[in-house]
């Protein structure tokens, strides 16, 4: 009886560990799909749904097995160990040579989900001899769900930030391997295929050890193949994947696979973002920068005399630390983030604006492109209304606004949304060689000037007193003018205002023609 009770406890403990590993596997595969294939919301939806469906398939398959259930459970755990551990290596390996990495990840998700679904009813049936039905089922499901919570916390706070996509899958494999190994050796007299299971134990142990030794070179190779230039820095943070590449004497910074800047031409992005707003504002003593954790926008802000304080709000502390300490970034931003006038706040931009009680002369928004639903709240009418309330009279807000060429509907939507938040708006654009045609929208908190007047004032401003590499009066005049088919009333009328309840900007952005550049 004691031996039987011990089996029941061990199997439930195994399900706790498997629930933990299973939920982490779902998160790992979803994150991999989002990073390697893009469109995070779609990838997370597909991977999670596919794994849950596969668990149903696995549950159905388990009914076909009637004998040697303990042996089958241990073999299933060994198989799950191998599949979980190798998932990232396979995904990156395929990514090096194929554009269909997402299909491999979906296949991995289906296989892992099937095995997880297979073993839950298996444990229930093994334990059926030791507990009555109501206790058995509730106990099995309870441990699995508790394990899922533990796995989610482990992924968010330990695995992803500290182990990244290289070693987190191997950790999952190790968890399943230890579970299977503990049950095998604790109840070795009860299993029938002793030699097969012992050989499997040894084989998986060797495999995991070799994988731990060689996973990083494989993943780095797959990472390198994703970028045309040499990867010189890579880090997975709880919020994003940061990659830096180098070509000759120039560096590129990518977040989640999207280019943030290149030292080859970054001034053609950061100077238009910063200097028009600084020149128009009634007072620029206090400046707020939302996003821009690389410090390049802050660098431009600090060129203006009279700047007393700059508040830099970026969600990811790893990014602002990199801007402070990495030799390339700190050189490019000229030590801006270390300037005593700069205060760094690591927080979501919308959350910061909701609790902040300060007023600013200039607010600059340098957030990632609106390519996922979770970013819609910082591109919404409500968000721009918050910015309006945090500006002094005559204060100016400027934001990057995607591309008026590659995503014209998204650009028009942002113009219309900022206007709806109470700003007279001033859209402008520039050609950035490494990024293509890019756009910005500027808004002023004032009732004394309309949009035509705002444009006329901006065209009269000069930049001769600022140390710039690109922008001057002629460049500004050029950036303020658009050709046909961009801002005409019939095109503006065809787009809607972006709100948190109706995030149309997401669809407008995805409908762009990014692939042609």
């Amino acid at each position: 009886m004691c031996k039987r009770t011990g089996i029941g406890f061990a199997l439930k403990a195994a399900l706790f560990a498997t629930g933990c590993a299973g939920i982490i596997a779902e998160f790992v595969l979803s994150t991999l799909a989002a990073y390697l294939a893009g469109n995070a919301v779609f990838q997370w939806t597909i991977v999670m749904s596919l794994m849950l469906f596969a668990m149903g398939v696995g549950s159905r398959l388990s009914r076909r097995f009637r004998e040697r259930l303990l042996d089958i459970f241990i073999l299933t755990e060994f198989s799950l160990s191998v599949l979980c551990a190798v998932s990232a290596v396979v995904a990156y390996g395929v990514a090096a040579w194929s554009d269909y990495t997402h299909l491999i990840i979906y296949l991995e998700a289906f296989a892992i989900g099937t095995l997880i679904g297979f073993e839950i009813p298996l444990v229930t049936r093994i334990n059926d001899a030791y507990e009555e039905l109501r206790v058995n089922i509730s106990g099995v499901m309870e441990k699995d769900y508790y394990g899922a919570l533990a796995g989610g916390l482990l992924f968010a706070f330990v695995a992803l930030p500290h182990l990244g996509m290289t070693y987190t899958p191997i950790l999952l494999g190790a968890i399943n391997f230890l579970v299977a190994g503990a049950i095998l050796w604790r109840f070795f007299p009860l299993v029938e295929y002793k030699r097969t299971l012992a050989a499997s134990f040894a084989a998986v142990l060797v495999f995991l050890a070799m994988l731990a030794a060689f996973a990083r070179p494989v993943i780095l190779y797959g990472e390198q193949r994703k970028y045309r230039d040499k990867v010189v820095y890579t880090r997975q943070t709880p919020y994003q994947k940061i990659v830096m590449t180098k070509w000759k004497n120039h560096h590129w910074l990518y977040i989640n696979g999207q280019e943030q800047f290149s030292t080859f031409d970054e001034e053609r992005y950061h100077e238009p973002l910063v200097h028009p707003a600084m020149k128009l504002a009634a007072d620029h003593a206090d400046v707020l920068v939302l996003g821009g954790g690389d410090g390049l926008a802050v660098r431009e802000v600090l060129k203006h005399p009279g700047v007393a304080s700059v508040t830099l709000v970026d969600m990811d502390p790893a990014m602002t630390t990199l801007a402070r300490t990495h030799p390339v970034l700190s050189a490019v931003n000229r030590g801006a983030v270390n300037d005593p006038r700069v205060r760094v706040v690591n927080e979501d931009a919308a959350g910061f604006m909701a609790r902040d009680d300060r007023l600013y002369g200039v607010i600059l928004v340098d957030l990632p492109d609106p390519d996922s639903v979770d970013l819609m709240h910082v591109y919404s009418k409500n968000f721009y209304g918050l910015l309006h309330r945090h500006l002094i009279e005559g204060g100016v807000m400027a934001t990057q606004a995607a591309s008026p060429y590659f995503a014209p509907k998204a650009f028009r939507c942002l113009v219309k949304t900022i206007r709806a938040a109470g700003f007279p708006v001033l859209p402008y654009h520039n050609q950035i060689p490494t990024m293509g045609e890019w756009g910005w929208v500027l808004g002023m908190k004032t009732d004394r000037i309309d949009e035509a007047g705002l444009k006329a004032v901006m065209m009269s401003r000069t930049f001769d007193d600022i140390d710039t590499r690109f922008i001057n009066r002629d460049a500004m005049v050029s950036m303020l003018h658009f050709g046909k088919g961009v801002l005409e009333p019939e095109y503006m009328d065809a787009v809607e205002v972006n709100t948190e309840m109706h995030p149309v900007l997401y669809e407008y952005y995805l409908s762009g023609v990014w692939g042609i550049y």
Side-chain angles (χ1 to χ4, degrees):
M1 184 65 181
C2 182
K3 176 73 75 172
R4 292 185 173 185
T5 304
I7 292 178
F9 176 81
L11 290 174
K12 288 180 180 179
L15 272 188
F16 178 88
T18 301
C20 175
I23 199 71
I24 296 178
E26 293 182 20
F27 294 158
V28 165
L29 292 173
S30 298
T31 302
L32 279 174
Y35 174 57
L36 294 174
N39 197 346
V41 172
F42 175 82
Q43 300 300 344
W44 275 76
T45 301
I46 293 298
V47 171
M48 299 289 279
S49 300
L50 188 60
M51 287 193 74
L52 289 172
F53 168 75
M55 288 172 66
V57 173
S59 296
R60 184 174 184 86
L61 289 175
S62 69
R63 71 174 64 176
R64 297 178 177 273
F65 296 84
R66 300 175 181 273
E67 300 176 348
R68 305 179 184 88
L69 298 185
L70 185 59
D71 297 55
I72 294 170
F73 173 77
I74 294 172
L75 284 172
T76 302
E77 282 289 300
F78 283 148
S79 302
L80 200 53
S81 173
V82 171
L83 280 176
C84 286
V86 81
S87 57
V89 171
V90 170
Y92 275 95
V94 172
W97 302 101
S98 173
D99 293 330
Y100 297 98
T101 311
H102 57 292
L103 298 180
I104 298 299
I105 294 174
Y106 298 161
L107 183 61
E108 290 178 330
F110 185 85
I112 292 172
T114 299
L115 291 178
I116 293 173
F118 180 85
E119 66 182 8
I120 293 175
L122 209 62
V123 169
T124 305
R125 289 165 57 196
I126 296 172
N127 204 39
D128 184 54
Y130 316 130
E131 292 180 339
E132 60 177 301
L133 183 61
R134 65 181 182 86
V135 176
N136 183 19
I137 292 178
S138 65
V140 166
M141 302 309 294
E142 174 192 19
K143 299 303 183 294
D144 184 60
Y145 296 151
Y146 289 171
L149 173 61
L153 297 175
L154 180 63
F155 179 79
F157 295 107
V158 179
L160 186 61
H162 298 293
L163 299 178
M165 289 294 102
T166 302
Y167 296 109
T168 294
I170 297 174
L171 172 65
L172 303 186
I175 290 173
N176 286 289
F177 173 74
L178 291 174
V179 166
I183 292 178
L184 172 62
W185 300 116
R186 174 68 177 82
F187 303 104
F188 193 73
L190 299 181
V191 299
E192 297 188 31
Y193 295 110
K194 291 180 173 58
R195 289 186 178 180
T196 300
L197 292 173
S200 299
F201 176 87
V204 174
L205 178 61
V206 172
F207 176 80
L208 291 178
M210 293 182 64
L211 188 64
F214 296 105
R216 184 168 178 78
V218 173
I219 288 180
L220 286 177
Y221 178 73
E223 186 98 76
Q224 181 61 71
R225 292 282 299 186
K226 184 178 172 66
Y227 300 95
R228 68 177 67 181
D229 304 313
K230 181 182 179 181
V231 173
V232 295
Y233 179 88
T234 178
R235 179 176 178 183
Q236 176 69 58
T237 80
Y239 304 99
Q240 57 200 2
K241 181 66 177 284
I242 302 172
V243 173
M244 189 185 299
T245 66
K246 181 180 180 181
W247 177 74
K248 294 187 177 180
N249 294 322
H250 296 289
H251 291 81
W252 277 252
L253 183 74
Y254 297 86
I255 291 179
N256 293 335
Q258 288 191 342
E259 180 186 336
Q260 302 304 297
F261 72 83
S262 166
T263 57
F264 179 77
D265 57 7
E266 55 82 14
E267 72 278 1
R268 293 173 178 262
Y269 173 91
H270 292 101
E271 291 182 3
L273 171 67
V274 174
H275 297 306
M278 297 291 286
K279 282 291 186 178
L280 276 180
D283 185 283
H284 57 236
D286 298 305
V287 179
L288 172 65
V289 180
L290 301 175
D294 51 47
L296 300 189
V298 175
R299 177 199 66 197
E300 297 301 315
V301 169
L302 294 176
K303 292 178 180 179
H304 289 260
V307 172
S309 73
V310 181
T311 302
L312 173 61
V313 180
D314 192 286
M315 178 178 287
D316 195 347
M319 188 69 249
T320 51
T321 299
L322 201 66
R324 281 191 174 116
T325 61
H326 194 281
V328 171
L329 274 187
S330 60
V332 174
N333 66 39
R334 300 183 188 176
V337 184
N338 293 314
D339 191 285
R341 291 170 290 177
V342 177
R343 176 174 69 112
V344 175
V345 179
N346 295 121
E347 188 177 344
D348 174 71
F352 173 83
M353 296 307 300
R355 69 169 182 80
D356 188 38
D357 58 2
R358 297 180 62 183
L359 294 178
Y360 302 91
V362 176
I363 298 177
L364 303 170
V365 185
D366 190 17
L367 295 169
D369 280 6
D371 61 350
S372 63
V373 172
D374 61 327
L375 285 170
M376 289 302 100
H377 69 296
V378 290
Y379 283 95
S380 67
K381 178 184 174 182
N382 181 65
F383 178 71
Y384 294 121
L386 272 175
L387 302 190
H388 192 276
R389 292 194 289 275
H390 280 79
L391 284 170
I392 63 172
E393 182 64 26
V396 176
M397 180 277 302
T399 179
Q400 77 94 357
S403 172
Y405 180 78
F406 297 111
K409 288 184 178 179
F411 182 74
R412 289 191 285 266
C413 174
L414 284 170
V415 172
K416 195 167 186 175
T417 300
I418 295 169
R419 181 183 288 147
F423 290 99
V425 297
L426 183 63
Y428 53 104
H429 65 117
N430 190 35
Q431 180 69 24
I432 305 170
T434 63
M435 296 174 66
E437 188 76 7
W438 215 257
W440 299 264
V441 179
L442 180 150
M444 175 177 277
K445 184 176 181 177
T446 181
D447 295 325
R448 300 179 181 180
I449 190 170
D450 60 12
E451 292 182 359
L454 191 61
K455 183 175 181 179
V457 171
M458 188 71 256
M459 290 176 65
S460 70
R461 291 291 191 263
T462 63
F463 302 87
D464 297 338
D465 59 331
I466 304 299
D467 176 23
T468 64
R469 289 189 290 164
F470 165 74
I471 197 170
N472 58 20
R473 183 174 179 273
D474 290 343
M476 191 71 243
V477 170
S478 175
M479 289 189 289
L480 288 168
H481 292 85
F482 291 82
K484 292 181 178 180
V486 181
L487 296 175
E488 288 89 340
E490 61 268 28
Y491 293 104
M492 294 298 298
D493 291 343
V495 298
E496 300 177 61
V497 170
N498 189 59
T499 66
E500 292 182 21
M501 298 301 293
H502 190 45
V504 293
L505 178 62
Y506 174 63
E507 293 298 332
Y508 292 152
Y509 185 88
L510 292 185
S511 69
V513 288
W514 299 99
I516 70 172
Y517 190 74

